[in-house]
Amino acid sequence: MPNLSLAYSPCPNDTFIFYPLVHGLVGSPEFSFRERLEDVETLNRLALRGELDITKISFHLLGFIRKDYCLLRSGGALGRGCGPLVVSKRFNEMGEIKGKRIAVPGRYTTANLLLRLFDPELDNVVFLPFHEIMGVVASGEVDAGVIIHESRFTFPEYGLTRLLDLGEWWEKETGHPIPLGGIVAKRSLGKETVDSIDRMLRASVEYGFSHPGEANAYIRAHSREMSEEVCAAHINLYVNSFSIDLGDEGEAAVTTLLSRAEAAGLVPRSTDRIFLP
């Protein structure tokens, strides 16, 4: 029985998606998994070093690892009205923060890529864990910050002002939903194994939808600093039909993001298909 490393974040959307899979509620006896929970930028860097068999990543990072990893069709975080926000305490307009210090939740996050696609001149960035950003913006250590995850629900509590919704900008610019993160698997696992894992992951998402509340204890164990209301809002925002299957619309969103990143010189050009053929 292959024992594969499976990594994802402790955020409610990921623990909701993976709970059935890692607890043996779906899947096949042909596989077992060694789960590992880390923040998304840690997962990005582990995947960049090729240390994980299956992992959640930011779609920005996919542009750097297409040779060794393929994208799965299930388990991703895409949608509308769920993009990163640029916030500040001192400023009210995006034009005011050019040249100013901006905190970003990681070099390889999609949030960082979207900021650079929006305006390449916004390059005075400092990389911090996502949960630290609102605090340093509120304290004045940095002039603005790009926030993700549950921060979009709680930033007003820090006295912060929203300057821009990068997801909203992306949707108006391209017409596509915003592709935030996806699940990848090593190409070396082979098509049969990768396809089987993808089916299991889809079944895991569908199980979560059809058994509401069953994973609550597991989800809450990894999100204790979050209120139940914020936790539920997080899941409702980031887990949707694209999490079951990217479909043509989701695939187009991902390929558009990568092609724009290539054109801007922000990821290497590649001829590798994102899915296994």
Side-chain angles (χ1 to χ4, degrees):
M1 178 186 296
N3 183 249
L4 304 174
S5 57
L6 172 64
Y8 49 96
S9 83
C11 293
N13 60 308
D14 282 352
T15 49
F16 174 92
I17 286 171
F18 285 100
Y19 171 82
L21 183 59
V22 300
H23 288 84
L25 301 173
V26 298
S28 164
E30 299 173 11
F31 299 98
S32 62
F33 299 104
R34 306 185 309 278
E35 64 265 30
R36 176 172 179 176
L37 278 69
E38 303 282 359
D39 70 272
V40 70
E41 184 66 356
T42 299
L43 298 178
N44 287 337
R45 293 184 178 278
L46 289 169
L48 190 62
R49 298 196 297 266
E51 295 184 15
L52 301 167
D53 295 317
I54 309 145
T55 183
K56 172 75 172 285
I57 60 159
S58 301
F59 276 120
H60 183 188
L61 191 275
L62 182 60
F64 294 90
I65 62 171
R66 285 173 283 184
K67 181 177 178 61
D68 297 313
Y69 285 89
C70 62
L71 182 63
L72 302 187
R73 294 187 178 274
S74 298
L78 295 85
R80 298 184 184 275
C82 61
L85 306 179
V86 183
V87 297
S88 179
K89 191 176 182 70
R90 299 174 52 203
F91 301 103
N92 297 301
E93 303 288 341
M94 287 297 294
E96 297 178 293
I97 64 171
K98 284 194 176 182
K100 302 295 193 297
R101 296 185 77 214
I102 305 170
V104 176
R107 164 71 176 83
Y108 297 103
T109 59
T110 305
N112 183 43
L113 175 57
L114 289 170
L115 184 70
R116 299 301 308 281
L117 289 174
F118 173 77
D119 187 346
E121 293 184 13
L122 297 173
D123 58 359
N124 185 9
V125 299
V126 53
F127 299 121
L128 292 173
F130 80 92
H131 61 274
E132 296 181 8
I133 290 179
M134 289 192 294
V136 297
V137 177
S139 70
E141 294 178 55
V142 298
D143 300 293
V146 183
I147 58 173
I148 58 175
H149 301 326
E150 66 275 4
S151 300
R152 67 177 293 121
F153 305 114
T154 58
F155 74 88
E157 299 171 12
Y158 288 76
L160 305 180
T161 299
R162 185 182 79 172
L163 307 187
L164 176 69
D165 184 325
L166 284 164
E168 186 177 281
W169 165 78
W170 168 266
E171 291 174 46
K172 289 180 179 178
E173 179 80 5
T174 69
H176 294 301
I178 178 66
L180 298 171
I183 312 301
V184 296
K186 278 191 172 179
R187 293 180 184 270
S188 59
L189 294 174
K191 183 172 176 55
E192 183 177 348
T193 296
V194 169
D195 286 349
S196 180
I197 293 166
D198 213 351
R199 287 192 297 271
M200 291 163 63
L201 185 53
R202 176 177 181 137
S204 190
V205 180
E206 292 175 332
Y207 185 100
F209 279 133
S210 61
H211 296 78
E214 185 171 323
N216 281 356
Y218 181 71
I219 294 167
R220 294 295 294 149
H222 294 286
S223 57
R224 290 174 182 165
E225 296 181 4
M226 215 180 296
S227 71
E228 288 189 16
E229 292 76 17
V230 170
C231 191
H234 186 117
I235 294 169
N236 291 335
L237 187 63
Y238 295 109
V239 186
N240 51 41
S241 60
F242 292 114
S243 305
I244 297 174
D245 191 303
L246 285 173
D248 293 340
E249 188 179 14
E251 182 177 348
V254 175
T255 55
T256 297
L257 181 72
L258 293 178
S259 65
R260 290 193 173 216
E262 286 182 350
L266 298 173
V267 303
R269 292 190 178 274
S270 173
T271 58
D272 292 302
R273 297 175 60 181
I274 58 174
F275 302 108
L276 276 186

